[in-house]
Amino acid sequence: MNKKVANRISEILEPTEEQKERMFNSILEKHRNENTKKSGFTLMKRFKPALVAAVLAVFLITTTAFTASYLGLDIKLLNFLNPSSDEQEEYLANGAYIVDKQVKNKNGTLEIKQVIGDSNLTYILMDFTAPKSITLNDDRYRFDSSINGVDSYHGVYSVGFTKLEDENPEDNKISMVMTLNTEQSLVGGKIRLDFKELQGAEDLPKTFKEAAARDSKEYEFKPIIKGTWSTSFKLDFKDYSKTYTPNSKVMVHGHEATLKSIAISPISVTVKFESPYTEEIHNAVPFEQVEYDTYLDKFPVTINYKDGSQETTTYATGMTLGSYSSNTTISIKRFEKVINDKEIKSIEFFDLEIPIIH
């Protein structure tokens, strides 16, 4: 167990006054909703303060898992994001939206846990439990899925799944993060997911040499469990992005363009630019495959931090769209770890450097 995880567990067991207040309010809200559905009376009308405090104490002592769900980030999502500091962890936690929704049938149980996101990227944390007779020990999983709409959203999106670290790979449970790259923010919308089948596969080859030595059928996705899991829920996460609109001229692959905006958050950086030479720009440099599953980023950005360090989006990780009709290009970049957006001094995009004012 790493130090960050240990610290997080310590916080869960010994919450701060602010966390206690948040937990207390969450418990009251949860029971108020349940109570209202059942009888039409609220918890405050029926319980005296002392009894409420006693209930809270019992919860604090006996239900660590329940407590963790109301303290902010689920521990699995926390490990996936790996924030750079306690302050950033708290910031991310305050923007997370707890869904806590379960869809169950004879073929397995799907639990939608939490959602976080920004203006162009949404992460959905989910657990899946198969029947006990099925071991889920493949390297990769995904659902044969369809998204039947998000309220008020008509843009393009791409979907991916990441299997999270599994403490017991020989059991029937997995956790995954579903990634949605979108042209516009999904904040406030209601998404409907229709999963038809769970599929599994071995890891992709890391190099061309490894790919040549393996049978490609090893890493093709295959059906694991048939079944239908359909659910809908709100995307009421906090948009972490701060958008800058430089409207500045920039030369992109030898052609003049206008950088319209840069959206920066801890989980992604998104650039939008316009140019009458959009087709020429996209044809100037093809997507270059440098390893079996690795492509260079055609439109890289370099982040300059206040301490003098840098990081560049060398490889394509998100989604890039170019519209020849509107002469607009949008490029979303994700990082292996969340970035420390509060410490960014400037962003470089081709021959343009944009100072970041916090």
Side-chain angles (χ1 to χ4, degrees):
M1 182 182 297
N2 63 39
K3 184 178 179 181
K4 188 175 287 296
V5 174
N7 289 340
R8 188 61 181 162
I9 292 175
S10 176
E11 288 181 5
I12 291 169
L13 295 176
E14 297 179 12
T16 64
E17 291 304 315
E18 181 181 351
Q19 289 169 334
K20 288 178 182 176
E21 182 177 352
R22 194 190 314 165
M23 292 159 50
F24 181 77
N25 290 332
S26 298
I27 292 168
L28 289 182
E29 182 65 23
K30 180 181 179 67
H31 283 268
R32 183 182 297 119
N33 291 339
E34 291 177 351
N35 205 44
T36 300
K37 290 177 183 177
K38 291 175 181 177
S39 63
F41 291 100
T42 67
L43 181 71
M44 293 303 292
K45 289 180 179 176
R46 297 179 61 188
F47 284 3
K48 294 181 179 179
L51 183 55
V52 173
V55 171
L56 176 58
V58 171
F59 271 106
L60 286 173
I61 294 169
T62 62
T63 58
T64 301
F66 176 84
T67 304
S69 71
Y70 284 93
L71 277 176
L73 287 181
D74 186 288
I75 193 72
K76 296 168 188 170
L77 197 54
L78 176 68
N79 291 336
F80 172 73
L81 296 170
N82 194 11
S84 61
S85 64
D86 292 342
E87 290 75 17
Q88 188 178 46
E89 178 184 327
E90 188 68 19
Y91 175 66
L92 290 169
N94 287 334
Y97 176 64
I98 299 172
V99 180
D100 195 21
K101 202 160 189 178
Q102 187 180 96
V103 184
K104 186 175 183 178
N105 61 41
K106 65 178 182 180
N107 298 315
T109 301
L110 174 70
E111 294 179 82
I112 306 298
K113 309 288 285 187
Q114 284 189 336
V115 181
I116 69 167
D118 62 18
S119 59
N120 300 94
L121 176 62
T122 303
Y123 286 136
I124 302 173
L125 174 67
M126 59 184 68
D127 292 345
F128 182 78
T129 303
K132 290 185 177 179
S133 58
I134 298 175
T135 299
L136 299 179
N137 58 2
D138 281 338
D139 298 316
R140 297 180 295 143
Y141 285 97
R142 71 181 184 188
F143 282 102
D144 180 5
S145 60
S146 62
I147 300 175
N148 284 330
V150 179
D151 290 350
S152 305
Y153 182 78
H154 305 288
V156 175
Y157 59 81
S158 67
V159 179
F161 290 89
T162 302
K163 179 190 172 187
L164 302 184
E165 185 175 350
D166 193 344
E167 293 182 354
N168 184 5
E170 297 307 316
D171 67 9
N172 58 334
K173 301 175 182 177
I174 53 171
S175 296
M176 294 190 290
V177 168
M178 182 179 182
T179 302
L180 291 100
N181 295 289
T182 54
E183 288 183 279
Q184 305 152 25
S185 176
L186 299 182
V187 167
K190 186 176 184 179
I191 190 170
R192 178 171 179 82
L193 302 178
D194 291 297
F195 293 160
K196 294 186 291 185
E197 165 183 282
L198 181 70
Q199 301 174 343
E202 293 186 11
D203 268 337
L204 288 169
K206 291 185 172 50
T207 64
F208 291 125
K209 184 178 179 181
E210 182 186 347
R214 289 175 60 184
D215 184 345
S216 62
K217 293 187 180 301
E218 293 177 2
Y219 44 91
E220 289 178 357
F221 277 103
K222 301 176 183 65
I224 302 296
I225 303 174
K226 297 283 187 180
T228 300
W229 296 270
S230 297
T231 185
S232 61
F233 50 91
K234 295 285 287 184
L235 300 172
D236 281 342
F237 57 86
K238 174 185 175 183
D239 182 351
Y240 296 117
S241 301
K242 185 172 182 179
T243 301
Y244 300 85
T245 54
N247 282 314
S248 299
K249 298 297 180 186
V250 59
M251 295 299 290
V252 181
H253 295 309
H255 298 280
E256 188 175 273
T258 301
L259 181 60
K260 302 298 290 184
S261 66
I262 296 181
I264 303 171
S265 84
I267 60 175
S268 78
V269 171
T270 299
V271 295
K272 292 181 183 179
F273 64 88
E274 294 179 356
S275 172
Y277 307 104
T278 297
E279 185 171 357
E280 289 83 351
I281 288 172
H282 280 262
N283 291 334
V285 179
F287 275 110
E288 184 178 355
Q289 186 177 8
V290 293
E291 269 304 348
Y292 183 79
D293 191 38
T294 306
Y295 294 80
L296 293 181
D297 185 358
K298 287 177 63 170
F299 306 107
V301 298
T302 295
I303 299 174
N304 298 312
Y305 290 102
K306 294 174 183 176
D307 65 2
S309 60
Q310 290 183 322
E311 60 180 318
T312 299
T313 58
T314 304
Y315 305 110
T317 54
M319 180 179 77
T320 295
L321 295 168
S323 169
Y324 297 164
S325 59
S326 64
N327 283 326
T328 301
T329 297
I330 176 172
S331 185
I332 305 166
K333 293 100 174 34
R334 292 186 283 113
F335 302 84
E336 284 193 15
K337 299 179 181 178
V338 293
I339 59 175
N340 193 350
D341 57 321
K342 306 302 180 189
E343 295 299 317
I344 295 176
K345 177 184 176 184
S346 65
I347 298 255
E348 293 180 46
F349 183 64
F350 289 85
D351 61 341
L352 184 64
E353 182 171 357
I354 304 99
I356 301 302
I357 310 299
H358 296 279

